[in-house]
Amino acid sequence: MASAFVAPGRRLDKGVEALMVWILRIGGWASVLVTFGIIVTLVTESAPFFAKVPLIRLVKDTMWTPLFSEPQYGIGALLAGTMVTTLVALSVAVPLGTILAIYLSEFAPSRFRELVKPMLELLSAVPTVVYGYFALLALTPLLQKIYPDLPQFSMLSAGLIMGIMIVPYVTSLGEDSMRSVPMLLREGAYALGDGKLGVAVRVVFPGAFSGLAAAYVLAISRAVGETMIVAIAAGLQPRMTINPLESAATVTAFIVQVSLGDLPHGSIGYQSIFVAGAMLFLLTLGFNLAGHGLRKKFHRAS
Amino acid sequence: MLPEKRAHELERRAHRRRSIDRWFGRLGMVLTLTTLGILAVLLLNLAVNGLSRIDWHFLTSFPSRRAAEAGILSAWVGTLLLMIVTASVAIPFGIAAGIYLEEYAPKNRWTDFIEINIANLAGVPSILYGLMALGLFVYSFRFGQSILSGGLALACLVLPIVIVATRESLRSIPAMIREAAFALGATRWQAVWHHLLPYSTGGIATGVILAMSRAIGESAPLITIGALTFIAFLPPPALHSTPPFVSFEWLFSPYSALPIQMFNWVSRPGEEFQANAAAAGLVLMVITLSMNGAAILIRRRAQRNITW
């Protein structure tokens, strides 16, 4: 009979197996639990705010001063700051990141590429508080020499440094997707007489576009959620402005600013940072899902 | 067009293309070096402003109202203790989740959902982990503004990094290793434990180091749970000379951390405090950059030693 040949430890093995499946499964659930925790916290802690303040005021008010005695709840003032710093950061990270990706994938000698890639990654490993320090105490004084009217806190300075921070996100994902474009396509274009840059721009770039788009979208998500650089260098005053030469608070900087003070549980200040947080979560969720979808598309295509 | 003229025209175009390529190659090289140069300038700036502040006194003193006497003792002890909490939560859960998703999970909607969820978690702004920790750990679980709350917040933050690293290094192991193990009668867990995990140690270690380095440099989530206070004491010790010898009181102690201390000094007026900030930043940079360097080396060695 077959069962006679079952090794003595077999039953134990089965038991260990069943136990491990459960332990590992719990690990898998932990990640869902974290998301759940974030959503539930944001919803329950900001709900009392919405019970007090009608939604329309978030859109209608032009200032964000929830801690004043006559509060205003125009969240647009915070979103403006986030938008401006993000755009400044993207205006650095997208062109620079894309050129570096094209260069590293199509032009650079392979030994140079292997040397430089991990070094570029270090740029995104620098603690953001250090970048904030650098923006406030090194870049801003430098910019003030060129443009003397620049205030001590400015969205320009914070945005530029933030752009440097997200360059590696664009470059590394962009370079991966460009290198996965099949050699055959390049060779076809070379055979038709195109040059290296022509092939890169007309063949490789379109071929890798979903990967690059994913890189851009994830870079936006990073810039929107970045906190310390803007909190240190862009200022903490909410201001409805689109001029990057001014100082203004972002959604994230507002959360920091309120957290710095005394924050009794259940006060309007406490609730308002969860409202800002919920806003931030929705914004980045959109970008993260779009980025994930684009990335999957690129993996399927290659 | 005359044949010679056409040939001439084509040659001219080819020549122009070649020179454009050459120029772009130079531009790319210059931009790459400039970008790396910014990192160098950043380090140099910290060194010039902060190196003179770093001495034994700086490492062994509490923060102070007088800049010249202030140090980072409570900050680096706090960072160390936070990392103990973060590592002991994020590493086991992250590796378990990675193994489950890569080796066990059936292909169905629930698994797809977990996958999208992890991709999103990796992009959730760090400050939202702070808000979650504030609402959940500090107030609902009543852990207070403690090392436990901070460490758990950072653990949630770096969990996706550990999961993704574990999955990627498992995925790079060829299917034949698993098949060979199953053919010899191994259960799935035996295949994982005896074959797959040993092969993926390098990749997982790389991910764990990168995750820890990220956690060390994070300040936003810690600020939201109220870590920015004047801390001039150390948490109670974990070991005692009297029974029961071990105490976990330190988990519930208020704390400071290196990036928090640096933020505190940056936001103060006065050049002396800025020098302190530069010094703290330099310490932070040395820690995170050397961890990243170690991760790169481990990854290289792991790749070199394994040939399938």
Side-chain angles (χ1 to χ4, degrees), chain B residues 201-263:
Chain B
T201 327
I204 296 176
T206 307
V208 165
I209 295 174
L210 290 180
M212 287 302 123
S213 135
R214 170 90 196 275
I216 287 178
E218 268 302 337
S219 28
L222 299 181
I223 290 176
T224 30
I225 43 184
L228 195 75
T229 40
F230 188 77
I231 303 285
F233 55 86
L234 291 182
L239 298 172
H240 296 280
S241 53
T242 50
F245 302 114
V246 188
S247 141
F248 288 100
E249 224 181 302
W250 59 272
L251 279 173
F252 296 95
S253 165
Y255 62 98
S256 178
L258 275 173
I260 298 287
Q261 186 61 61
M262 182 177 177
F263 175 65

Side-chain angles (χ1 to χ4, degrees), chain A residues 10 17 35 193 196-197 288, chain B residues 17 21 117 120 185 189 300:
Chain A
R10 201 62 189 160
E17 178 73 25
T35 306
K196 252 188 176 176
L197 187 64
N288 292 339
Chain B
R17 271 198 289 270
D21 288 348
N117 168 56
N120 176 53
W189 172 248
R300 287 248 164 107

Side-chain angles (χ1 to χ4, degrees), chain B:
Chain B
M1 219 190 288
L2 288 169
E4 309 95 82
K5 223 178 163 187
R6 237 186 109 186
H8 183 72
E9 171 70 17
L10 283 177
E11 205 169 290
R12 209 177 56 81
R13 275 194 215 167
H15 186 75
R16 213 183 61 193
R17 271 198 289 270
R18 266 198 298 278
S19 86
I20 289 177
D21 288 348
R22 235 186 344 261
W23 275 106
F24 187 82
R26 281 183 204 142
L27 176 74
M29 169 78 95
V30 167
L31 286 180
T32 309
L33 295 179
T34 313
T35 312
L36 291 178
I38 293 171
L39 189 63
V41 170
L42 178 64
L43 269 172
L44 209 66
N45 180 299
L46 289 174
V48 166
N49 291 321
L51 199 56
S52 61
R53 283 291 293 122
I54 297 183
D55 51 19
W56 187 246
H57 180 81
F58 187 68
L59 298 177
T60 55
S61 300
F62 289 112
S64 159
R65 270 171 247 291
R66 278 181 294 262
E69 286 170 22
I72 54 170
L73 178 63
S74 51
W76 71 256
V77 171
T79 290
L80 191 72
L81 295 176
L82 280 173
M83 287 312 112
I84 291 175
V85 176
T86 304
S88 50
V89 174
I91 296 174
F93 276 101
I95 295 178
I99 295 173
Y100 176 73
L101 289 172
E102 205 54 37
E103 303 295 329
Y104 283 84
K107 280 253 167 289
N108 58 24
R109 275 203 200 149
W110 175 240
T111 309
D112 285 348
F113 171 72
I114 297 183
E115 211 148 292
I116 292 175
N117 168 56
I118 290 171
N120 176 53
L121 266 189
V124 167
S126 61
I127 197 160
L128 290 182
Y129 290 93
L131 287 181
M132 176 193 71
L134 180 65
L136 210 60
F137 303 146
V138 175
Y139 290 118
S140 299
F141 298 169
R142 296 182 190 286
F143 293 160
Q145 298 173 338
S146 62
I147 291 176
L148 183 61
S149 296
L152 286 177
L154 294 177
C156 296
L157 172 72
V158 299
L159 187 67
I161 305 179
V162 181
I163 297 178
V164 170
T166 305
R167 293 192 66 182
E168 277 176 2
S169 58
L170 285 173
R171 198 176 307 155
S172 67
I173 300 172
M176 62 181 183
I177 302 284
R178 296 176 185 83
E179 284 155 11
F182 295 148
L184 291 172
T187 61
R188 211 167 258 277
W189 172 248
Q190 284 168 331
V192 168
W193 183 250
H194 294 291
H195 303 281
L196 302 179
L197 275 182
Y199 282 129
S200 51
T201 327
I204 296 176
T206 307
V208 165
I209 295 174
L210 290 180
M212 287 302 123
S213 135
R214 170 90 196 275
I216 287 178
E218 268 302 337
S219 28
L222 299 181
I223 290 176
T224 30
I225 43 184
L228 195 75
T229 40
F230 188 77
I231 303 285
F233 55 86
L234 291 182
L239 298 172
H240 296 280
S241 53
T242 50
F245 302 114
V246 188
S247 141
F248 288 100
E249 224 181 302
W250 59 272
L251 279 173
F252 296 95
S253 165
Y255 62 98
S256 178
L258 275 173
I260 298 287
Q261 186 61 61
M262 182 177 177
F263 175 65
N264 184 334
W265 281 331
V266 171
S267 43
R268 278 195 206 196
E271 268 178 27
E272 292 120 355
F273 280 112
Q274 290 168 6
N276 284 355
L282 198 59
V283 173
L284 256 182
M285 286 288 274
V286 168
I287 296 174
T288 49
L289 292 189
S290 48
M291 286 177 85
N292 276 268
I296 293 168
L297 289 181
I298 292 176
R299 183 160 51 193
R300 287 248 164 107
R301 280 191 62 168
Q303 277 167 357
R304 206 181 306 143
N305 291 344
I306 295 179
T307 43
W308 302 112

